Amino acid sequence: MPVNEPSFPGPETSGEAGELIGSGSFVLDRKLALEKLMRFQLAHPGMYALVLLRCAAAGGASQIFLTHKDGRSVEFRFDGLAFSEEELADPYACLFRELTPETTRNRELATALLSLLRLGPSEITVRSGKGKRRRLLRVTGLDSQSQQPCADPETETVLTAVQPAGAPEPLWGPELDALLEDRCRMSAVPIYRNGKLLPALRPEESPRASHSFEEKGVRGLLLVPDDPAKSELRLHRWGVFAEKLSRLSPEVQVDGYVNDDRLRLNTSQGAVVRNARLETVLAAVSAAATHLALRSALAQAQCLDEARPEQRRA
């Protein structure tokens, strides 16, 4: 069933004084809106890690370092475009404005902060910028945050979250390790977890025929499926898994991975919006699947030709 981009619900009028959100199309209490977003975005709050990786990639990071210890503290460190004083002063403001390519990383940061808050950390800090422009954002609750100058000599953006010992659910666990390895294999940015580079896709290690392609911002890897009746395409955005499509057109039978940074996710962050961008991606996959089918047919023909002399001698 198609997933369309939903609009955030809000009453046209309110009995209490409200805050104008966005373009003024509706009035909604800001804290209530953030509480709803915090509860309903992401299937599991631990997926904040994937969102932060998208945030780093969208800001032009050349590498990302993730460190976690005892499940109660995590640190994400990356270079690229720094967050400004204005952006850190209100990290959630972008959620109520029109999404643009320039604000993509801001939305990812805001979504990650909301998801982290669901896990009950005692404090989340974000340090970004360099020199006199370096700032420190400290978040201790949904409506409890502060920003100040940061005197450390670093230049990377660093997000740190610390959790008290009595928290019911840790900030990190083995399931997140497995999640990262499974869902970040299309990342064009090297990701280091506790000093170890996360594995990337390696089509050369598969005995199946494959075809890699990149055209107009769409890059992918297609393999001949083990089961011709089962076709799966894993959609990625900024190198991080977004959704798996299992029902493709009859002529497209692939086991595939494709990335397009211009894909949009719905409000829950659980599916790709069905729009013209997705149609463009699927058209690119369909064209690449034709190349894969041709390559597979040629490989099978070559195998048959090589087998015939052996059959004659037998």
Side-chain angles (χ1 to χ4, degrees):
M1 183 176 180
V3 177
N4 298 314
E5 176 69 3
S7 58
F8 195 83
E12 295 182 0
T13 60
S14 173
E16 300 178 359
E19 180 179 352
L20 187 65
I21 302 297
S23 63
S25 59
F26 58 88
V27 176
L28 186 66
D29 179 80
R30 176 188 168 95
K31 184 178 179 181
L32 176 62
L34 290 175
E35 287 175 348
K36 288 184 177 181
L37 286 171
M38 183 172 66
R39 286 199 304 268
F40 297 117
Q41 282 188 327
L42 303 180
H44 187 278
M47 295 175 70
Y48 72 84
L50 302 179
V51 180
L52 281 173
L53 295 177
R54 287 199 193 103
C55 171
S62 63
Q63 52 188 352
I64 305 169
F65 296 91
L66 158 62
T67 306
H68 59 85
K69 182 180 180 182
D70 299 331
R72 299 298 179 184
S73 66
V74 294
E75 179 186 275
F76 288 76
R77 179 183 296 270
F78 49 88
D79 57 0
L81 185 62
F83 290 100
S84 67
E85 178 180 354
E86 180 183 2
E87 290 171 323
L88 292 181
D90 187 357
Y92 308 119
C94 58
L95 296 173
F96 306 104
R97 297 172 182 164
E98 182 179 359
L99 176 64
T100 67
E102 292 74 27
T103 60
T104 294
R105 71 192 185 103
N106 301 83
R107 285 217 178 187
E108 303 291 356
L109 176 63
T111 300
L113 290 174
L114 292 175
S115 297
L116 272 167
L117 286 173
R118 289 168 62 187
L119 294 171
S122 55
E123 181 180 78
I124 307 169
T125 61
V126 180
R127 292 175 283 140
S128 195
K130 61 180 179 180
K132 294 182 179 180
R133 295 184 177 181
R134 190 163 179 82
R135 309 294 294 182
L136 166 65
L137 168 67
R138 178 174 284 108
V139 179
T140 55
L142 187 59
D143 56 352
S144 179
Q145 62 196 52
S146 62
Q147 184 205 170
Q148 64 190 61
C150 183
D152 72 44
E154 298 182 274
T155 60
E156 297 172 307
T157 294
V158 183
L159 182 146
T160 304
V162 180
Q163 194 177 48
E169 190 170 355
L171 294 173
W172 200 273
E175 68 283 354
L176 274 183
D177 284 324
L179 189 72
L180 255 66
E181 292 193 9
D182 178 63
R183 299 197 172 188
C184 299
R185 301 175 70 195
M186 282 287 288
S187 177
V189 182
I191 302 171
Y192 295 86
R193 182 193 59 211
N194 285 351
K196 185 177 180 181
L197 182 65
L198 288 182
L201 283 174
R202 297 186 181 278
E204 67 275 7
E205 296 180 357
S206 173
R208 294 179 287 166
S210 64
H211 174 65
S212 299
F213 67 96
E214 184 167 0
E215 182 179 358
K216 298 180 180 179
V218 181
R219 61 183 176 90
L221 169 67
L222 305 182
L223 300 96
V224 174
D226 288 325
D227 182 356
K230 185 179 181 182
S231 188
E232 294 183 338
L233 180 65
R234 301 159 188 84
L235 302 174
H236 295 69
R237 182 169 176 261
W238 294 108
V240 178
F241 174 86
E243 183 184 358
K244 181 169 66 176
L245 302 181
S246 300
R247 296 179 182 179
L248 305 178
S249 59
E251 63 272 14
V252 181
Q253 298 299 321
V254 296
D255 182 14
Y257 302 78
V258 64
N259 181 89
D260 188 337
D261 300 336
R262 293 161 294 185
L263 289 172
R264 291 188 64 177
L265 302 184
N266 64 359
T267 301
S268 68
Q269 302 285 306
V272 172
V273 175
R274 272 46 174 175
N275 58 10
R277 189 66 236 163
L278 178 58
E279 292 178 4
T280 299
V281 170
L282 295 180
V285 170
S286 180
T290 301
H291 289 284
L292 174 62
L294 178 60
R295 176 177 295 184
S296 179
L298 291 174
Q300 291 178 0
Q302 183 178 357
C303 289
L304 289 174
D305 288 340
E306 293 173 352
R308 284 183 184 125
E310 297 294 331
Q311 292 173 351
R312 294 192 190 102
R313 285 196 292 270

